[in-house]
């Protein structure tokens, strides 16, 4: 689908109307985020549905911060946004926001220092605040509720067993791949890169196989 052409048709259709019955909203043909002005030549009257569709098309054309506009419009009056579109807007808005913040932190040392403080404070509040409170409540219940403590202990054992089993399977899979590559004449350094393991692991697997 040509999103630019669809957007242009929507704007042309709106400009060609003499008037719109009922509720309308003013829309910036070129968004202010992209340098558009409030001049009458850059404004057009759209229905609520047309306005929402226009911003979805703009977001698909230009990306970036325009996905945030879709998020803001999704929760407004007389709006409709299905779950798939909302999820798409959320994902793109998050990605583009992080890209913008990263670029600004590189270009502006003062902004970088500000963001570092903000995120450090957030981590500190989480660790010393909410997490500390939850941890304290857990310890108190674990010490006072024998049934709860027994259930937690059993779950911990199951989790440890599952983790150990997963580690064994992963290790066995890697070992099998190491032996296959070694049999094909690959060097230790090549095997390390392909299997993503240390030279000690490769040596141990190969030596164990030769002894066996």
């Amino acid at each position: 689908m040509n999103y630019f052409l669809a957007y242009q048709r929507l704007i042309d259709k709106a400009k060609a109307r003499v008037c719109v019955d009922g509720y309308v909203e003013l829309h910036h043909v070129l968004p202010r985020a992209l340098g558009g002005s409030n001049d009458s030549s850059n404004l057009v009257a759209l229905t609520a549905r047309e306005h929402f569709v226009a911003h979805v098309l703009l977001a698909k054309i230009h990306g970036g911060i325009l996905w945030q506009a879709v998020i803001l419009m999704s929760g407004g009056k007389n709006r409709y946004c299905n779950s798939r579109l909302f999820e798409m807007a959320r994902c793109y808005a998050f990605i583009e926001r992080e890209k913008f913040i990263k670029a600004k932190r590189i270009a502006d040392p003062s902004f970088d220092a500000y963001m570092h403080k903000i995120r450090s404070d957030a981590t500190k509040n989480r660790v010393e605040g909410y997490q500390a409170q939850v941890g304290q409540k857990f310890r108190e219940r674990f010490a006072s509720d024998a049934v709860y403590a027994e259930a937690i202990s059993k779950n911990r054992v199951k989790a440890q067993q599952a983790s150990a089993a997963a580690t064994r399977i992963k290790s066995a899979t890697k070992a099998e791949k190491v032996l296959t590559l070694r049999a094909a004449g690959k060097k230790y350094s090549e095997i390390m890169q392909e299997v993503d393991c240390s030279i000690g692991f490769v040596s141990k697997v190969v030596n164990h196989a030769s002894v066996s």
Side-chain angles (χ1 to χ4, degrees):
M1 179 180 181
N2 189 322
Y3 298 120
F4 179 82
L5 183 59
Y7 179 71
Q8 194 58 55
R9 284 176 177 170
L10 187 154
I11 297 301
D12 290 343
K13 178 183 175 182
K15 286 185 174 180
R17 288 190 300 236
V18 177
C19 65
V20 181
D21 293 331
Y23 177 77
V24 295
E25 298 174 350
L26 284 180
H27 171 68
H28 292 82
V29 179
L30 178 65
R32 284 177 292 181
L34 299 180
S37 69
N38 290 321
D39 189 82
S40 59
S41 61
N42 192 46
L43 296 173
V44 63
L46 301 178
T47 65
R49 181 177 181 277
E50 287 174 338
H51 199 189
F52 180 70
V53 171
H55 276 279
V56 172
L57 291 172
L58 283 170
K60 288 186 175 182
I61 293 168
H62 300 289
I65 199 171
L66 294 181
W67 280 108
Q68 192 63 36
V70 176
I71 292 293
L72 294 174
M73 295 192 73
S74 299
K77 184 179 180 182
N78 298 324
R79 302 284 187 255
Y80 171 75
C81 179
N82 62 43
S83 58
R84 183 174 297 175
L85 178 57
F86 188 76
E87 180 182 38
M88 181 191 298
R90 280 286 191 190
C91 290
Y92 280 123
F94 172 77
I95 292 170
E96 296 296 340
R97 183 173 63 250
E98 289 301 307
K99 284 168 60 178
F100 172 80
I101 290 174
K102 184 177 180 180
K104 190 171 181 181
R105 291 186 72 169
I106 293 173
D108 185 349
S110 62
F111 180 74
D112 179 57
Y114 167 75
M115 287 302 302
H116 179 74
K117 184 178 185 306
I118 290 292
R119 292 186 172 178
S120 295
D121 289 346
T123 300
K124 182 179 179 181
N125 290 336
R126 184 173 67 250
V127 173
E128 296 182 359
Y130 172 75
Q131 288 185 354
Q133 293 176 19
V134 171
Q136 181 61 32
K137 288 181 180 178
F138 168 76
R139 287 189 291 272
E140 290 174 355
R141 184 175 179 186
F142 191 88
S144 61
D145 188 336
V147 176
Y148 176 75
E150 183 180 3
I152 292 296
S153 299
K154 287 182 179 179
N155 287 336
R156 282 176 174 171
V157 171
K158 289 180 180 178
Q160 290 169 354
Q161 291 173 342
S163 178
T167 300
R168 286 195 298 272
I169 292 171
K170 185 177 180 180
S171 180
T173 302
K174 280 191 172 184
E176 184 178 351
K177 191 171 183 180
V178 165
L179 292 176
T180 301
L181 292 172
R182 185 61 178 166
K186 293 283 188 177
K187 297 179 180 178
Y188 278 24
S189 58
E190 295 173 325
I191 296 174
M192 286 169 55
Q193 292 181 348
E194 290 196 41
V195 182
D196 187 24
C197 61
S198 67
I199 192 169
F201 180 82
V202 176
S203 179
K204 182 178 179 181
V205 170
V206 174
N207 290 337
H208 179 74
S210 62
V211 171
S212 301

